[in-house]
Amino acid sequence: MGEVTSRQIIVRPTTPWSLRIAAWAWGAAGFVFALAPLLATLLLWLQYRSLRKNAYRVTDLITLIAPDDTVDLAPYIDAFERAEVWLMNTAGWMLVLVLALYLIAAASMLAAYLVIAKYTLHGSRTARAFGTVLSVLSGAIVFAVWQAFAAISWLPIDALWANHLGLVVIALHALGVALVWLPASNSYARSLDSKRISTHFDVAH
């Protein structure tokens, strides 16, 4: 009977909702963060195409309303088109190399996030600590990218379609950090620690 009782003691408590949501939030954050450079590039390219397509239409409208305030956009658009041709002709192979390196880095990053999310769901203190540090670093990276876009973009930063990706990444990370350190999450982690101590004690005796 003693052996059966010892095994019955090892009962895993129910994972709190806070850790469940936090694990999903960090997993989703890893997915979005890993794909963010590719998605941001795609959104910027689509937005650039849209702006270029409508540039002459807007210029004609401004000419009708305020002819003195009209800006000739043709030279700017021609410069963009020449830059596109030069980039594809001289750096096409480098773009393939960069894409390959990015895919490797994205896969590694996503794997790290999924591992952290998995062990966060199991109440690991180490996973919660690593996830929190990773969330802070990711938020800092997104902020730095925002500042870079704000410095080089001729559009307001909040007008960029890709800007919303950064908001999603920050929100998911922040949600995960807030939930993994709630009292329910801490209580769950402590209960798991006590179970492990009890298990080691029973095995030793």
Side-chain angles (χ1 to χ4, degrees):
M1 291 295 292
E3 183 180 354
V4 175
T5 304
S6 173
R7 291 177 180 174
Q8 288 176 343
I9 293 176
I10 309 173
V11 178
R12 195 175 193 86
T14 303
T15 305
W17 62 268
S18 55
L19 283 183
R20 292 177 183 273
I21 298 177
W24 279 104
W26 275 348
F31 184 78
V32 177
F33 191 61
L35 293 180
L38 188 62
L39 294 175
T41 301
L42 177 61
L43 287 174
L44 289 173
W45 182 79
L46 290 174
Q47 187 170 19
Y48 161 65
R49 290 287 180 179
S50 176
L51 290 173
R52 192 176 72 172
K53 179 180 179 181
N54 295 312
Y56 289 111
R57 190 179 307 169
V58 173
T59 302
D60 292 340
L61 180 61
I62 295 176
T63 302
L64 294 175
I65 299 175
D68 295 335
D69 297 331
T70 302
V71 177
D72 186 9
L73 297 179
Y76 299 98
I77 295 177
D78 292 339
F80 275 123
E81 291 177 344
R82 287 195 299 269
E84 283 181 333
V85 173
W86 176 85
L87 183 63
M88 295 305 298
N89 290 338
T90 61
W93 66 272
M94 289 187 61
L95 295 178
V96 175
L97 177 61
V98 170
L99 179 61
L101 294 175
Y102 157 71
L103 292 176
I104 295 174
S108 302
M109 186 184 307
L110 181 58
Y113 269 93
L114 292 179
V115 169
I116 290 176
K118 174 185 176 181
Y119 285 97
T120 296
L121 187 62
H122 294 329
S124 170
R125 293 181 184 273
T126 303
R128 292 191 297 159
F130 270 110
T132 300
V133 173
L134 191 60
S135 296
V136 174
L137 292 177
S138 300
I141 291 173
V142 171
F143 180 77
V145 172
W146 271 349
Q147 295 303 308
F149 271 120
I152 66 176
S153 176
W154 50 278
L155 284 174
I157 191 65
D158 56 356
L160 293 173
W161 297 348
N163 177 57
H164 303 298
L165 286 175
L167 296 177
V168 172
V169 170
I170 290 178
L172 289 172
H173 282 100
L175 177 63
V177 171
L179 292 176
V180 296
W181 299 110
L182 287 178
S185 301
N186 293 327
S187 177
Y188 177 73
R190 285 194 297 268
S191 66
L192 289 181
D193 290 340
S194 64
K195 293 292 182 182
R196 294 189 188 100
I197 294 174
S198 299
T199 302
H200 291 318
F201 179 80
D202 290 337
V203 171
H205 292 76

